[in-house]
Amino acid sequence: MGQPLRVGVIGAGNISGQYSACLARLPQLRVTAVSDLQQERAAALAAQHEGARVLDLPDLLAADDVDAVLVLTLPSSHADVALAALAAGKHVYVEKPLATSVAEGSEVVKAAAGAGLRVGCAPDTVLGTGVQTARAAVDAGRIGTPHSATAFMTTPGHERWHPDPEFYYQPGGGPLLDMGPYYLTSLVHLLGPVARVVGASTRPSATRTIGSGPKAGTSFDVAVDSTITGILEHTSGAVSTLIMSFDIWAARLPRIEVYGTGGSLSVPDPNNFAGPVELYSATAVDDGWVDIGATAGYVDSGRGYGLADMALAIAEDRPHRAGDELGLHVLEIMESVQEAADTHAAVELTTTCERLAAVVGTVDLTH
């Protein structure tokens, strides 16, 4: 593809380590600058990439050796940082969600289109062999016509392990906006966009207590609903049931299952890039659930592969897979499920998107 896309990283917090490890081994990308409000964190991240400099935000956005900005800030500032980067003439890749509201996300998408620049949005877990293999099985008709799906994310809450978990329980956080993108992006990838939703939600606890790190034992207020249930009507006619919760200590629910007229498909944890995909076929019921093996997707992938795919797409002049249209649609699904829960009424979506182009076969981006 020629020269790598030169990347400036904004935000060197908890998730940046996973991105950094992948970016260092992807030839499509080269980290040239890092910016963070805490200089020591920025320096530690920059040290992992030869020649990378620590810059303040204005200087990073103005840098000639930065082609694209990777936004790893708190969700509340995703849109503002993305808009500033686009105004500076940089491509943008944003950690999920695209923004904290559809209105903000729409501004980002509009600004990118007007500037002729790319905006990518996590999660890129759907590009790994887990969801891609499941997508290939669905598209090949191995479960017949898909008609419904279930998606469950249940945990007692991130405050048990995260040293600064307060933002997960403030506007822009919660289980739906935090973890929903993984599950909803997968459902859209497998079954297509969503047209209409209903929902219900609850907030069992008014406070949470930090369980680890220097602030262990400190309590804070919960400002968002922490268990949310939604029913999604896809434009394809399929129906999905969604539960996202920070209130459940244990459950035996599957992560994602897709049901069709000719069988069922078990999809691995969409917060990961790989995992077993299991098929139950109506034509081979005696076989039970069968692991079909990895047949498609980016192998040995991790966070940052969506940005590498965007770099390739720019070089090849094609749409990138983890795009802003998809990110905005997933954001509206989440916003609409919460609106439906608040108003006790069905909500029609205003956005849509194309299904992501499949990754055909297994692909190694490190070569």
Side-chain angles (χ1 to χ4, degrees):
M1 61 168 283
Q3 296 300 312
L5 193 71
R6 298 170 296 179
V7 178
V9 181
I10 300 177
N14 199 56
I15 196 65
S16 66
Q18 294 185 45
Y19 274 91
S20 182
C22 280
L23 268 55
R25 59 187 174 87
L26 286 166
Q28 301 83 10
L29 306 170
R30 180 164 65 89
V31 175
T32 56
V34 180
S35 180
D36 191 272
L37 293 175
Q38 297 183 29
Q39 287 283 83
E40 63 277 11
R41 294 200 314 191
L45 185 62
Q48 299 171 28
H49 301 274
E50 183 178 357
R53 299 169 294 155
V54 175
L55 301 174
D56 61 23
L57 181 57
D59 288 342
L60 186 150
L61 295 180
D64 291 335
D65 62 346
V66 172
D67 305 311
V69 168
L70 172 59
V71 182
L72 302 180
T73 62
L74 294 178
S76 58
S77 60
H78 282 183
D80 288 341
V81 176
L83 288 168
L86 291 167
K90 314 297 186 186
H91 301 294
V92 174
Y93 188 89
V94 185
E95 175 54 18
K96 53 79 188 168
L98 178 64
T100 57
S101 70
V102 172
E104 287 184 344
S106 297
E107 289 185 26
V108 173
V109 173
K110 182 179 179 181
L117 295 166
R118 303 284 188 121
V119 170
C121 182
D124 50 6
T125 48
V126 295
L127 303 182
T129 55
V131 173
Q132 287 296 315
T133 295
R135 160 76 179 269
V138 170
D139 290 353
R142 298 186 68 177
I143 60 168
T145 301
H147 54 71
S148 55
T150 53
F152 304 117
M153 191 292 301
T154 60
T155 173
H158 293 348
E159 71 277 7
R160 294 175 304 141
W161 57 269
H162 198 291
D164 296 294
E166 293 94 333
F167 74 94
Y168 287 115
Y169 297 91
Q170 301 302 312
L176 187 59
L177 276 174
D178 175 47
M179 298 301 294
Y182 299 108
Y183 291 76
L184 292 168
T185 304
S186 298
L187 289 174
V188 170
H189 194 64
L190 293 164
L191 299 175
V194 173
R196 181 174 176 267
V197 304
V198 295
S201 62
T202 186
R203 192 183 312 175
S205 301
T207 62
R208 298 276 176 147
T209 301
I210 299 174
S212 65
K215 296 192 291 184
T218 303
S219 296
F220 58 91
D221 293 335
V222 175
V224 295
D225 290 343
S226 48
T227 293
I228 302 177
T229 299
I231 298 176
L232 322 175
E233 297 180 11
H234 296 261
T235 57
S236 64
V239 177
S240 295
T241 301
L242 178 79
I243 296 178
M244 301 277 111
S245 180
F246 284 167
D247 299 305
I248 297 176
W249 284 100
R252 293 177 174 175
L253 298 166
R255 295 294 187 174
I256 295 177
E257 288 184 349
V258 183
Y259 313 111
T261 55
S264 299
L265 196 66
S266 176
V267 184
D269 186 348
N271 192 22
N272 298 326
F273 288 80
V277 177
E278 296 181 308
L279 174 70
Y280 185 98
S281 175
T283 61
V285 294
D286 290 341
D287 293 340
W289 290 94
V290 176
D291 186 341
I292 63 176
T295 65
Y298 293 139
V299 299
D300 298 325
S301 48
R303 283 168 172 78
Y305 269 63
L307 180 55
D309 181 84
M310 190 172 84
L312 287 171
I314 292 170
E316 298 166 3
D317 193 26
R318 61 163 174 83
H320 54 291
R321 291 180 170 91
D324 53 357
E325 182 184 70
L326 172 63
L328 183 63
H329 184 59
V330 168
L331 180 59
E332 190 186 15
I333 296 171
M334 296 188 293
E335 188 174 278
S336 298
V337 169
Q338 186 64 66
E339 180 185 347
D342 294 340
T343 61
H344 306 290
V347 176
E348 304 280 344
L349 272 74
T350 62
T351 65
T352 189
C353 65
E354 299 292 332
R355 285 178 80 201
L356 298 172
V359 179
V360 179
T362 54
V363 180
D364 186 349
L365 285 186
T366 62
H367 296 93

